[in-house]
Amino acid sequence: TSTQTGLAGSYERDTQHDVELTLTNFGDTAFDIAVVDYFSSDALDFSFSNEPTKPGDNLLRWEVTVEAGETVTLTYQYKD
């Protein structure tokens, strides 16, 4: 005997994720850094404080300059 169950209708992906990446330069000179973060293939509805590039393979990439003694914060949100 075989049993199958079907689900009708749709569902909404509504789990909100808030991501904060903080970079602090404790040195005496500015530096440039590439920040790379991975996201799930189920992620959607992104919003960014600074728009990254998306080189593929579920990666986000930011090119950031952090001045001496300064902190840079990158934030983004998405749903899954």
Side-chain angles (χ1 to χ4, degrees), residues 5-58:
T5 302
L7 298 175
S10 63
Y11 69 96
E12 184 175 324
R13 295 180 187 181
D14 60 0
T15 302
Q16 175 79 31
H17 298 274
D18 298 304
V19 180
E20 181 174 280
L21 307 171
T22 303
L23 309 165
T24 302
N25 182 349
F26 295 102
D28 295 329
T29 58
F31 68 84
D32 297 324
I33 187 168
V35 178
V36 179
D37 201 12
Y38 173 83
F39 64 90
S40 166
S41 61
D42 293 332
L44 50 89
D45 294 335
F46 284 91
S47 66
F48 300 98
S49 62
N50 299 68
E51 193 71 28
T53 59
K54 296 178 183 172
D57 295 326
N58 297 14

